[in-house]
Amino acid sequence: SAVISQKPSRDICQRGTSLTIQCQVDSQVTMMFWYRQQPGQSLTLIATANQGSEATYESGFVIDKFPISRPNLTFSTLTVSNMSPEDSSIYLCSVEDHHGTSGNNEQFFGPGTRLTVL
Amino acid sequence: GQNIDQPTEMTATEGAIVQINCTYQTSGFNGLFWYQQHAGEAPTFLSYNVLDGLEEKGRFSSFLSRSKGYSYLLLKELQMKDSASYLCAVTSGGSYIPTFGRGTSLIVHP
């Protein structure tokens, strides 16, 4: 299974600033995903990041607010731009792995970045 | 779109059995996942069901009925460490990216 790390693990930011979250995987993966998990809510997919192409955003999420980079097959960044208190959430990086225990395309998650916007 | 419904919270006693239900409405169903998420941690994979029936894995079992759009996760011999959120997730259509339910917070007490 893939091992995923994220930096920072948590941060407290001021309104109007931006934060870039890094995600590192220990193996090469084609697809990387960014999720948001707001308090008491489930995981919501923000976008899918493929290496060498622009990220694909889900309804309700736009590139200007959540720019994503995917420079290679083991790394991605998500920036939360011009933050407001409504952006306070946990942001999780995820990858799809064909070699999970189920034998299917399992998703493995990073530990998450807990963001608080004041 | 997809609609996934599961109870918000459940409580159970250590050593008991608990069943967490999940109902879904989707077109072109592919499969259903269950994930466990402890507070402050990332979700971890528990099970994946594609066909109808029961899949048993140690103390945890997962059941699927595609015709009823229904699944449950069965936890036996509950332990305090089983206190966590349990997320039901469904893949459908041409996408293998799961859509998650809101999760069921399970509290196990002595």
Side-chain angles (χ1 to χ4, degrees):
Chain A
S1 62
V3 177
I4 306 168
S5 60
Q6 282 184 238
K7 287 196 297 187
S9 59
R10 59 177 62 230
D11 207 342
I12 301 173
C13 302
Q14 296 296 322
R15 180 196 300 260
T17 62
S18 298
L19 176 72
T20 296
I21 303 168
Q22 299 179 6
C23 177
Q24 180 76 51
V25 189
D26 69 341
S27 58
Q28 293 185 336
V29 293
T30 303
M31 300 176 77
M32 295 179 75
F33 308 91
W34 287 99
Y35 285 85
R36 181 172 73 183
Q37 189 174 30
Q38 294 181 306
Q41 303 295 314
S42 189
L43 298 162
T44 302
L45 181 65
I46 297 172
T48 303
N50 295 325
Q51 193 262 341
S53 63
E54 276 199 4
T56 303
Y57 289 82
E58 298 298 304
S59 176
F61 298 97
V62 296
I63 188 171
D64 290 345
K65 176 66 176 177
F66 297 101
I68 287 172
S69 77
R70 183 79 200 275
N72 57 54
L73 292 174
T74 64
F75 186 78
S76 178
T77 67
L78 169 76
T79 299
V80 186
S81 303
N82 188 25
M83 289 184 285
S84 67
E86 291 72 35
D87 295 320
S88 296
S89 183
I90 299 172
Y91 292 85
L92 296 121
C93 171
S94 169
V95 302
E96 207 171 57
D97 192 327
H98 298 276
H99 302 293
T101 58
S102 71
N104 294 284
N105 293 356
E106 287 180 35
Q107 292 222 263
F108 293 90
F109 292 86
T113 296
R114 185 179 294 272
L115 171 62
T116 302
V117 184
L118 302 177
Chain B
Q2 297 171 334
N3 187 33
I4 301 171
D5 193 36
Q6 50 182 133
T8 303
E9 186 175 293
M10 299 181 71
T11 60
T13 305
E14 191 175 16
I17 299 173
V18 71
Q19 177 175 311
I20 302 174
N21 296 325
C22 172
T23 57
Y24 62 88
Q25 295 172 325
T26 187
S27 57
F29 174 84
N30 290 328
L32 186 144
F33 292 87
W34 283 97
Y35 280 82
Q36 180 190 59
Q37 186 178 24
H38 285 101
E41 298 182 12
T44 55
F45 170 83
L46 287 178
S47 66
Y48 179 63
N49 292 68
V50 176
L51 301 176
D52 291 349
L54 187 68
E55 298 268 349
E56 296 186 71
K57 192 187 297 184
R59 294 190 299 114
F60 292 7
S61 303
S62 58
F63 172 84
L64 176 67
S65 168
R66 289 172 297 171
S67 62
K68 294 182 180 178
Y70 168 69
S71 173
Y72 67 72
L73 181 69
L74 192 71
L75 291 76
K76 303 176 185 176
E77 301 169 18
L78 280 173
Q79 302 174 9
M80 299 296 289
K81 67 178 183 179
D82 295 331
S83 294
S85 182
Y86 291 86
L87 306 172
C88 174
V90 171
T91 58
S92 63
S95 173
Y96 286 89
I97 304 172
T99 298
F100 287 83
R102 290 173 176 263
T104 298
S105 177
L106 174 66
I107 300 169
V108 180
H109 55 82

